[in-house]
Amino acid sequence: MNRDILLQVIDLARWAPSGDNTQPWRFSIVGEQHLRVHGHDTRDEVLYDYEGRASHIAHGALLETLRVVASSFGLATHWTVEADSEARSPVYDVHFSAQSDMSTDPLFPYIEKRVVQRRPMRTTALTPTQRAAIQASAGDELEVQFFESFSERLEVASLLWHNARIRLTCPEAFAVHRKVIEWRARFSEDRIPEQAVGVDPLTARLMEWVMQSWERVRFFNRYLLGTVAPRVQLDFLPAVFCAAHLLLRPARAPTELEDWVRLGISLQRLWLTVTKEGLHLQPELTPVIFRWYARDNRRFSSAPALFEDAQRLSHVFERLAQCGPDEPFFFFCRVGVSAAPWSRSLRLPRERLMR
């Protein structure tokens, strides 16, 4: 094994998913069989990265992608992690070893094909084969709960509609929304390109103008029903038009950094399996994230009513999932059949990810 192979592994592994394409990792090559991943989180800047959980899940997705890519070179991987108590900057040491009997993981061809589909999909039901493959990919430590009927999808659409109001009227989320979109773009190396957001061109132009300042956002929300069009296009319609919503529920509550990382490993394997089965996926994480805040009694906004809304919607979510307030969720998404998205997030070039 040599440095060139490690660089090729990095070049493919960087396609791992991360929240809003933040790519919370950098790489350094320590030796011919030793790669170091310098992780970080965005909790100080991003409302949705509660306690760094979204970033830690992304780190796990990256480690799984490294493993899948390495298998194509006949290499096995083993990783360890070092972090302080808050795990803001965990360091992952990934060691590679040649295995003569190693075969390429069947999910390898789908690493670059895996993509977020934010637009409505067909309502064609999942086949028994697809359901079985999704459940098998989750492993024994993760339960997959399916919401497939029209009435269930309508309930999810209502949940997302109301959660989206929190998202779009929360001043602490405004800076995130303004920063994360690359306007008038089909592709983006470090953000979400406008054409992948899922709104029509007229709504996009209005959003671009309104999001120049919080004062404009507040005015439109208060007097001109400014949240209605994006909630219809980004939340309600996509929730109805899909095959199913999936809620991923850990067998035991994650408490440590490694728990969240391993959930990210499972998530990436499931997402790649969804792609392999000819489906697309869109994360639906605001209900999960606002439930984390609500159940930990952590106020996230200077607007008190938004926290009260999050508490109320957590109860709604739990009734939908038929569970109690102490039972953990970690990922919510929709899946379905559609054409490949016209627009997508790319990744930073490898050279910019190296230390």
Side-chain angles (χ1 to χ4, degrees):
M1 184 174 178
N2 56 43
R3 180 183 176 88
D4 288 342
I5 291 178
L6 273 182
L7 291 174
Q8 291 179 64
V9 169
I10 293 170
D11 206 39
L12 285 171
R14 66 194 174 93
W15 287 97
S18 58
D20 294 333
N21 202 22
T22 52
Q23 301 167 68
W25 46 67
R26 296 295 182 268
F27 303 97
S28 61
I29 295 176
V30 181
E32 289 188 351
Q33 296 179 300
H34 183 185
L35 178 67
R36 183 162 289 157
V37 179
H38 306 268
H40 63 271
D41 67 49
T42 60
R43 72 182 80 179
D44 291 335
E45 303 87 34
V46 178
L47 177 71
Y48 307 113
D49 199 2
Y50 179 63
E51 293 189 343
R53 291 175 183 176
S55 292
H56 300 154
I57 291 168
H59 297 162
L62 173 69
L63 292 171
E64 175 64 6
T65 311
L66 281 167
R67 186 198 65 77
V68 172
V69 173
S71 73
S72 70
F73 292 94
L75 300 170
T77 63
H78 170 74
W79 62 269
T80 58
V81 60
E82 293 288 337
D84 61 18
S85 59
E86 289 193 325
R88 290 175 177 268
S89 302
V91 176
Y92 304 88
D93 285 292
V94 183
H95 296 271
F96 299 84
S97 58
Q99 302 287 324
S100 59
D101 59 347
M102 175 70 69
S103 58
T104 299
D105 191 293
L107 297 178
F108 173 73
Y110 304 97
I111 288 173
E112 291 185 72
K113 293 179 181 179
R114 182 212 58 79
V115 66
V116 176
Q117 173 57 288
R118 297 180 179 87
R119 298 184 185 276
M121 297 184 275
R122 294 200 284 276
T123 57
T124 306
L126 298 176
T127 68
T129 300
Q130 289 170 331
R131 281 179 114 263
I134 291 170
Q135 289 177 315
S137 70
D140 296 332
E141 296 301 312
L142 206 60
E143 176 191 352
V144 183
Q145 188 172 358
F146 292 81
F147 303 89
E148 298 178 87
S149 69
F150 177 75
S151 61
E152 288 174 327
R153 287 183 278 119
L154 200 58
E155 285 188 85
V156 173
S158 176
L159 175 69
L160 294 172
W161 168 268
H162 291 291
N163 269 276
R165 183 182 176 278
I166 301 177
R167 183 183 80 233
L168 295 172
T169 61
C170 180
E172 289 77 11
F174 168 67
V176 179
H177 300 160
R178 181 169 62 174
K179 180 180 179 181
V180 76
I181 299 173
E182 185 167 343
W183 297 106
R184 303 171 188 267
R186 180 182 174 191
F187 303 108
S188 177
E189 291 183 347
D190 59 353
R191 285 171 287 170
I192 301 172
E194 175 195 302
Q195 294 176 34
V197 169
V199 295
D200 62 57
L202 181 60
T203 302
R205 295 286 65 74
L206 181 61
M207 287 173 60
E208 182 183 14
W209 185 82
V210 169
M211 290 175 65
Q212 295 301 308
S213 73
W214 174 245
E215 288 71 25
R216 291 182 186 178
V217 172
R218 185 168 54 185
F219 178 86
F220 265 75
N221 288 348
R222 184 170 183 177
Y223 298 108
L224 300 174
L225 303 176
T227 71
V228 171
R231 282 197 286 168
V232 168
Q233 295 183 52
L234 299 179
D235 297 277
F236 192 84
L237 290 179
V240 174
F241 290 96
C242 65
H245 299 268
L246 314 181
L247 180 61
L248 307 190
R249 302 173 60 169
R252 61 183 182 87
T255 57
E256 307 293 333
L257 168 64
E258 289 197 31
D259 296 333
W260 294 103
V261 171
R262 293 191 184 281
L263 288 176
I265 289 172
S266 298
L267 170 60
Q268 176 66 338
R269 191 149 195 91
L270 182 145
W271 199 337
L272 291 173
T273 299
V274 165
T275 307
K276 182 174 183 288
E277 291 299 316
L279 302 166
H280 284 110
L281 179 152
Q282 179 190 10
E284 300 168 321
L285 291 178
T286 50
V288 174
I289 294 165
F290 289 137
R291 181 175 182 261
W292 286 339
Y293 280 105
R295 291 295 167 249
D296 288 350
N297 200 30
R298 294 274 294 276
R299 295 183 178 273
F300 54 85
S301 176
S302 58
L306 296 184
F307 181 72
E308 295 168 5
D309 288 343
Q311 289 181 309
R312 177 178 55 83
L313 290 170
S314 294
H315 287 296
V316 173
F317 200 176
E318 288 154 9
R319 285 197 298 272
L320 178 64
Q322 299 182 338
C323 75
D326 296 327
E327 296 182 57
F329 306 162
F330 100 95
F331 195 79
F332 196 37
C333 65
R334 68 186 185 108
V335 297
V337 175
S338 74
W342 161 260
S343 170
R344 66 167 300 174
S345 295
L346 303 178
R347 298 296 183 270
L348 291 169
R350 185 186 68 210
E351 294 74 18
R352 290 183 58 188
L353 293 171
M354 299 297 296
R355 279 195 175 186

